[in-house]
Amino acid sequence: CYSPKLLGKENLPPKDEAVMYIPNHCSYLDIFTLSGTVPRAFKYLSKQEILQIPIIGWAMQMAGHIGIKRMDKRSQLEAFKAAVDALKKGNSVVTFAEGTRSPDGRLQTMKAGSIKMAVKAGVKVVPVSISNLYKWMPTSAITPLAFPRNVSVCVCV
């Protein structure tokens, strides 16, 4: 059974506190890993293409996750407003720090949008680190290369 280790659980905010979670992004498995490991409810800011995938995307749409067309300025503004609104309504939101998956598993330059959303909504930022996942499903892989092992999710201070 796939069971990533959760480190820093004591750093999680109370369940009823809306926050902006900002993890690194290196694999298609990041969303599954966060959703199954961090014991909190949250909405993802996701590229619109993911929301078009049958079953997974439809479920994300029905759950109110936020889609963004990354190269479309109007969509970026709408997604920004939707994320701020979700945070103000008491929903935590996940935005990946780099805005897209790392091509080589290393941290990329962080985008400023997630911090701006948190500031605008008046919520805390919770940094999250996902470790050892890239090697199991790099950006070039359609399916995992092997069963992921030694994966950890760290809720940082």
Side-chain angles (χ1 to χ4, degrees):
C1 161
Y2 178 51
S3 56
K5 187 180 296 183
L6 178 60
L7 307 171
K9 186 175 181 178
E10 68 279 2
N11 299 324
L12 284 169
K15 288 185 178 186
D16 61 347
E17 180 181 351
V19 299
M20 176 66 77
Y21 291 100
I22 306 178
N24 57 305
H25 196 18
C26 61
S27 172
Y28 276 126
L29 297 175
D30 291 341
I31 291 175
F32 298 112
T33 299
L34 287 171
S35 296
T37 305
V38 178
R40 296 293 185 273
F42 37 72
K43 299 196 180 297
Y44 287 96
L45 181 64
S46 176
K47 67 180 179 177
Q48 190 65 39
E49 296 88 342
I50 298 294
L51 300 181
Q52 305 307 314
I53 297 172
I55 302 172
I56 292 172
W58 301 339
M60 288 180 72
Q61 284 182 35
M62 289 174 20
H65 296 283
I66 304 160
I68 183 172
K69 294 178 185 169
R70 293 182 295 174
M71 299 302 157
D72 181 330
K73 293 289 184 192
R74 184 179 200 177
S75 176
Q76 291 172 4
L77 181 58
E78 290 170 359
F80 184 96
K81 289 178 180 178
V84 169
D85 187 51
L87 288 162
K88 285 182 175 181
K89 288 180 177 175
N91 297 291
S92 291
V93 174
V94 173
T95 56
F96 290 102
E98 303 97 331
T100 191
R101 287 174 294 136
S102 168
D104 58 9
R106 294 183 299 180
L107 286 175
Q108 305 299 303
T109 302
M110 182 177 173
K111 304 282 184 182
S114 51
I115 300 292
K116 290 177 181 178
M117 287 181 239
V119 168
K120 179 90 172 170
V123 300
K124 294 177 187 173
V125 169
V126 178
V128 178
S129 171
I130 304 170
S131 301
N132 294 325
L133 195 52
Y134 175 81
K135 65 184 174 183
W136 303 110
M137 191 169 181
T139 55
S140 60
I142 295 171
T143 61
L145 303 177
F147 195 80
R149 294 185 310 271
N150 300 319
V151 175
S152 63
V153 175
C154 181
V155 180
C156 309
V157 179

